[in-house]
Amino acid sequence: MTEHREPSIQVPEVAVASMNATHAEELGLIERLLAALDDEDAEAARAMAEDLAAHVQEHFSREERLMEQYGFPPYPIHKAEHDRVRPLVAGACAAADDAKGRAALARFLREEFIPWLEHHVATMDMATAHFLAMQGVE
Ligand SMILES: [Fe+2]
Ligand SMILES: [Fe+2]
C-alpha cells in the first residue's frame, strides 16, 4: 500500500438532499478509484472505473429527469454541459484496461473531472437545486 495524499474531495452542499447524497457517493467512488490506481491494483481499478462511469451517467440523468419534470427553464444549458462531459468520463473510464489508460484516468480525474465537478456543483447544480427545492423536491 502506498501513502495516499489525496485531500478528501469536497463539493458545496446544494438545496436538495438527494442531490447531495449522489454527489457524496460519487466523490467516495472517485477517492477509492484513485487509491486503487495509486496502488496499481489493476483489478480493483478496472471494476471501480466501471462503477464510476455508470454512477456519473445516472447522476446526470437523474438531474435531467428532475429538471424536465419540474420545468426548469435553463434545462438545455445544464443538460448540454452534462452531455459534453459524459463521453469524456466514459472514455477515460473505459481505458482502465491497460496501464497507460489507468495513468491517463488518474490524470483525468485529478486534473479535469474533479475540478470540473467542483465548479459544476457550485454553479449549475446549485441553481438547479435552488429551483427544485422551491418545488418541494428533497
Ligand atoms: Fe450533480
Ligand atoms: Fe449537474
Side-chain angles (χ1 to χ4, degrees):
M1 293 285 281
T2 51
E3 187 86 11
H4 299 301
R5 318 146 311 274
E6 211 68 45
S8 76
I9 316 159
Q10 290 196 334
V11 297
E13 294 266 303
V14 299
V16 172
S18 59
M19 288 173 68
N20 290 328
T22 299
H23 295 155
E25 221 173 68
E26 199 156 292
L27 295 179
L29 274 176
I30 293 170
E31 282 173 1
R32 289 195 296 281
L33 171 54
L34 282 171
L37 289 165
D38 286 351
D39 282 344
E40 294 177 15
D41 184 344
E43 193 95 346
R46 256 196 302 271
M48 286 187 225
E50 217 170 285
D51 289 349
L52 177 64
H55 196 278
V56 169
Q57 301 302 332
E58 178 48 28
H59 162 196
F60 291 178
S61 294
R62 178 172 184 272
E63 287 178 9
E64 289 159 14
R65 286 194 299 273
L66 285 169
M67 288 190 279
E68 264 198 304
Q69 188 180 342
Y70 290 92
F72 183 54
Y75 165 71
I77 300 167
H78 192 160
K79 175 162 170 48
E81 185 59 10
H82 286 170
D83 285 345
R84 187 182 68 78
V85 171
R86 275 185 160 99
L88 305 179
V89 173
C93 287
D97 277 341
D98 61 77
K100 213 174 130 209
R102 286 192 293 277
L105 174 58
R107 214 168 31 241
F108 169 77
L109 292 172
R110 290 195 167 102
E111 293 172 17
E112 296 180 47
F113 188 62
I114 294 168
W116 175 83
L117 193 59
E118 288 167 343
H119 179 75
H120 181 79
V121 172
T123 55
M124 290 191 186
D125 283 5
M126 188 72 81
T128 300
H130 183 70
F131 174 87
L132 292 174
M134 292 197 302
Q135 321 292 312
V137 177
E138 292 178 355

